């Protein structure tokens, strides 16, 4: 039975029961560049109670450092080591699990945050934001096109949310992934994300576009994958029984918590609604739910 955060008693219970608070970002802390109500107060309250805060986002457009700077703009002090993005999880997966040799290059279909994390992990990246030719429509006559100049040293392709997605980019990405010996890594499966007061296409749209034309599935590294939790546990020795995952989407955040033995708190300030919560399979339901994260603060103060 999912308990609603609608009283001081429930809010205090959460404060007392958990030491580690794992936060999704889009739809929980903010909607794009606007912080959601009482988020800053809630995070400050948790820090005052010596809670361990970990920020776990599937948004692969920023690196951990870029997220740390985004928090700073909101007046919040969050260190790079407290942030786990799907761009970082993908770079760690390539380096530590697939053990891609460092002399292999990585073709990026994604944004600069993904390139930065891959470069920080020791890889040379191609494509991404560094090939202006990809911003131009595919010219069938142009023999200098990247499609006709595939780099034989590419050993992996990583696909994530790319606000500059176009036919040309997908066409070049496809050439690499038609080779079964090249790894196909996908940052996250999210179909949508909340932005501009609406729902916008998520990374899942880019991943599915590539999967469709190469008839292969990418290895998902973000939530709800186990790899993301492994990266967090490796870096922060957390007791799962004293940990809670706070998110706005069932099939990534809440599933990530359920799959890894954490308690879960769904907030209705992002993707999910009271209707989708009502309709959810009881076995998939979160431990708690709230209208917004700031309710934790408001019910206690
Ligand atoms: O589309 C995406 O890439 C994700 O939906 C989006 O960025 C989600 O980020 P999160 O809610 O995990 O912070
Ligand atoms: Mg979210």
């Amino acid at each position: 039975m999912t308990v609603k955060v609608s009283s001081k008693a429930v809010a205090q219970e959460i404060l007392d029961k958990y030491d580690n608070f794992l936060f999704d970002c889009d739809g929980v802390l903010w909607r794009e560049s606007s912080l959601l109500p009482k988020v800053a107060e809630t995070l400050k309250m948790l820090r005052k109670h010596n809670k361990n805060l970990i920020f776990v986002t599937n948004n692969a457009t920023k690196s951990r450092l870029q997220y740390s700077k985004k928090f700073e703009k909101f007046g919040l002090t969050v260190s790079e080591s407290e942030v786990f993005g799907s761009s970082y999880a993908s770079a760690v997966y390539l380096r530590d699990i697939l053990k891609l040799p460092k002399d292999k290059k990585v073709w990026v279909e994604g944004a600069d945050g993904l390139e930065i994390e891959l470069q920080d992990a020791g890889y040379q990246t191609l494509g991404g934001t560094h090939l202006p030719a990809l911003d131009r429509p595919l010219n069938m006559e142009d023999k200098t096109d990247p499609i006709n100049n595939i780099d034989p040293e590419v050993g992996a392709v990583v696909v994530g949310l790319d606000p500059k997605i176009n036919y040309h980019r997908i066409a070049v990405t496809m050439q690499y992934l038609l080779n079964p010996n090249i790894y196909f890594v996908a940052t996250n499966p999210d179909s949508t994300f909340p932005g501009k007061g609406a729902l916008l296409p998520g990374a899942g749209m880019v991943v599915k576009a590539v999967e469709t034309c190469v008839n292969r599935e990418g290895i998902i590294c973000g939530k709800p994958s186990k790899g993301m939790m492994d990266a967090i546990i490796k870096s922060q020795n957390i007791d799962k029984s004293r940990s809670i995952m706070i998110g706005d989407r069932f099939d990534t955040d809440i599933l990530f918590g359920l799959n890894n033995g954490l308690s879960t708190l769904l907030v209705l300030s992002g993707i999910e609604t009271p209707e989708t919560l009502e309709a959810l399979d009881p076995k998939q339901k979160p431990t708690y739910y709230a209208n917004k994260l700031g309710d934790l603060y408001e019910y206690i103060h």
Side-chain angles (χ1 to χ4, degrees):
M1 165 71 179
T2 301
V3 177
K4 184 170 186 178
V5 180
S6 56
S7 68
K8 177 166 184 162
V10 175
Q12 190 62 50
E13 174 187 303
I14 291 173
L15 200 59
D16 297 341
K17 268 175 85 172
Y18 304 104
D19 303 324
N20 307 299
F21 287 70
L22 285 75
F23 296 93
D24 169 46
C25 298
D26 288 335
V28 174
L29 304 179
W30 52 60
R31 290 176 77 111
E32 265 188 299
S33 53
S34 315
L35 208 55
L36 288 161
K38 301 293 182 200
V39 164
E41 293 85 345
T42 305
L43 298 184
K44 284 175 186 148
M45 172 185 75
L46 292 171
R47 284 218 195 276
K48 202 174 82 189
H49 287 81
N50 298 316
K51 301 300 181 184
N52 180 26
L53 310 188
I54 302 171
F55 301 90
V56 191
T57 177
N58 267 3
N59 190 320
T61 61
K62 288 183 177 57
S63 65
R64 288 164 297 158
L65 183 59
Q66 287 172 317
Y67 266 111
S68 181
K69 291 198 163 62
K70 179 168 183 172
F71 278 105
E72 212 174 301
K73 275 194 213 137
F74 290 129
L76 297 167
T77 305
V78 170
S79 70
E80 197 177 338
S81 63
E82 291 177 309
V83 180
F84 289 82
S86 59
S87 47
Y88 176 64
S90 301
V92 166
Y93 187 82
L94 262 188
R95 183 191 64 198
D96 299 347
I97 310 300
L98 296 179
K99 299 193 185 322
L100 181 76
K102 292 295 171 50
D103 60 355
K104 286 292 183 189
K105 297 173 186 173
V106 180
W107 177 268
V108 175
E109 170 38 44
D112 64 331
L114 180 52
E115 290 171 315
I116 291 166
E117 291 291 5
L118 289 164
Q119 289 155 12
D120 285 356
Y123 295 108
Q124 183 183 341
T125 62
L126 297 180
T129 60
H130 294 300
L131 206 46
L134 296 176
D135 292 329
R136 291 191 292 274
L138 180 58
N139 171 354
M140 297 303 197
E141 310 313 317
D142 176 3
K143 290 291 170 266
T144 65
D145 189 282
I147 283 184
N148 306 111
N149 298 279
I150 294 300
D151 188 320
E153 290 172 18
V154 167
V157 168
V158 183
V159 177
L161 184 55
D162 180 1
K164 297 171 74 175
I165 184 176
N166 63 25
Y167 183 83
H168 198 172
R169 288 173 180 277
I170 299 298
V172 182
T173 302
M174 174 182 178
Q175 306 315 312
Y176 286 105
L177 289 174
L178 289 173
N179 174 349
N181 300 317
I182 291 185
Y183 290 121
F184 180 5
V185 170
T187 59
N188 60 295
D190 303 59
S191 54
T192 60
F193 84 101
K196 296 190 75 58
L199 276 186
L200 300 174
M205 167 270 294
V206 186
V207 173
K208 289 283 183 210
V210 175
E211 288 182 341
T212 301
C213 52
V214 300
N215 194 27
R216 285 175 65 177
E217 283 198 3
I219 305 163
I220 297 282
C221 291
K223 298 169 289 184
S225 79
K226 184 177 171 304
M228 185 74 135
M229 181 51 79
D230 290 348
I232 293 168
I233 295 211
K234 188 173 170 192
S235 148
Q236 314 228 1
N237 185 20
I238 62 170
D239 171 356
K240 291 183 181 180
S241 69
R242 300 276 305 167
S243 302
I244 186 165
M245 176 71 208
I246 303 170
D248 70 309
R249 180 186 277 278
F250 293 136
D251 62 359
T252 52
D253 308 320
I254 304 305
L255 197 55
F256 180 68
L258 286 170
N259 286 353
N260 290 287
L262 275 63
S263 297
T264 52
L265 163 60
L266 172 79
V267 291
L268 298 173
S269 50
I271 298 293
E272 305 300 352
T273 65
E275 293 72 27
T276 60
L277 175 58
E278 180 62 32
L280 190 67
D281 175 341
K283 291 194 292 299
Q284 305 287 321
K285 291 218 181 212
T287 318
Y288 301 95
Y289 78 100
N291 290 327
K292 63 182 188 303
L293 174 64
D295 287 355
L296 275 184
Y297 172 81
E298 287 185 332
Y299 279 112
I300 287 179
H301 288 76

